[in-house]
Amino acid sequence: MREIVEDTISRNKKFQEERRERLKKVKELKAPDIIIETEEMISKMTLAEYEIYCQQLEEEDKKIKSEYAKNNPIQKSIVDEIYNRESKLEYNYFTYSSNVHLAMAIDPLSFMSNEDYENDLYRPFLEHARELYRDRFKEHFGVEE
């Protein structure tokens, strides 16, 4: 039992040291106050408290996105545009191998609102478009997923 307590103490100490170092860096970078305040708060937490805090943020994020989805129905024209743009993409190594490059190639913010994008309203369709693209060009890439 003593070993478990000592291990917990040592992991908490390491976590807090890492977070204090991170706090020092964000202050040196003159980050916005909200970031500094958040880092100060986290640097005082134990590892278990931080994990609970992260879970609470995830749950809150899910609730916000769920509420957004209830109030903003899926638009067929936007779904059609996602698949239309995917179907027109040619093979590109970077587009194939990077979700960021594929998102840039489809450019969803040019035809959907920033709020829809940030709240993942069309995420399942974008992920399906990624799968379709990768299936179309997997022989070019030479990788089976």
Side-chain angles (χ1 to χ4, degrees):
M1 181 68 162
R2 181 180 176 157
E3 292 152 355
I4 294 172
V5 172
E6 288 175 358
D7 180 57
T8 301
I9 290 170
S10 111
R11 288 188 305 135
N12 283 333
K13 184 178 178 181
K14 180 181 178 196
F15 171 76
Q16 289 171 335
E17 287 171 0
E18 289 171 354
R19 297 311 293 214
R20 281 192 294 270
E21 186 62 34
R22 184 177 168 126
L23 173 61
K24 180 181 170 187
K25 288 179 183 177
V26 296
K27 284 181 176 180
E28 288 171 358
L29 293 170
K30 295 182 178 27
D33 289 342
I34 187 72
I35 293 174
I36 293 172
E37 291 167 8
T38 302
E39 285 300 326
E40 285 174 340
M41 178 186 68
I42 292 171
S43 72
K44 296 173 186 169
M45 293 180 179
T46 65
L47 189 53
E49 290 169 334
Y50 178 68
E51 289 171 355
I52 291 168
Y53 172 73
C54 289
Q55 287 174 345
Q56 290 171 338
L57 289 177
E58 285 179 27
E59 289 171 14
E60 185 179 315
D61 189 53
K62 285 179 186 177
K63 286 179 187 174
I64 291 168
K65 289 178 180 180
S66 176
E67 188 64 29
Y68 184 86
K70 286 178 190 174
N71 297 323
N72 296 278
I74 300 289
Q75 296 178 34
K76 184 181 181 319
S77 61
I78 292 177
V79 173
D80 290 346
E81 185 65 18
I82 291 169
Y83 291 116
N84 182 44
R85 288 179 180 229
E86 182 282 325
S87 71
K88 292 179 181 177
L89 293 175
E90 298 293 326
Y91 175 74
N92 177 289
Y93 172 83
F94 295 108
T95 303
Y96 185 92
S97 61
S98 165
N99 292 340
V100 172
H101 284 94
L102 182 58
M104 289 169 53
I106 293 176
D107 192 18
L109 290 174
S110 68
F111 58 89
M112 73 175 68
S113 74
N114 194 43
E115 291 80 16
D116 285 353
Y117 187 79
E118 287 179 0
N119 285 287
D120 297 334
L121 192 59
Y122 295 93
R123 184 178 189 162
F125 303 103
L126 290 165
E127 288 174 351
H128 184 239
R130 180 184 69 222
E131 291 172 21
L132 293 173
Y133 178 79
R134 289 188 175 156
D135 283 347
R136 258 191 316 137
F137 294 111
K138 65 183 169 190
E139 70 278 354
H140 292 288
F141 195 70
V143 173
E144 292 286 329
E145 290 194 85

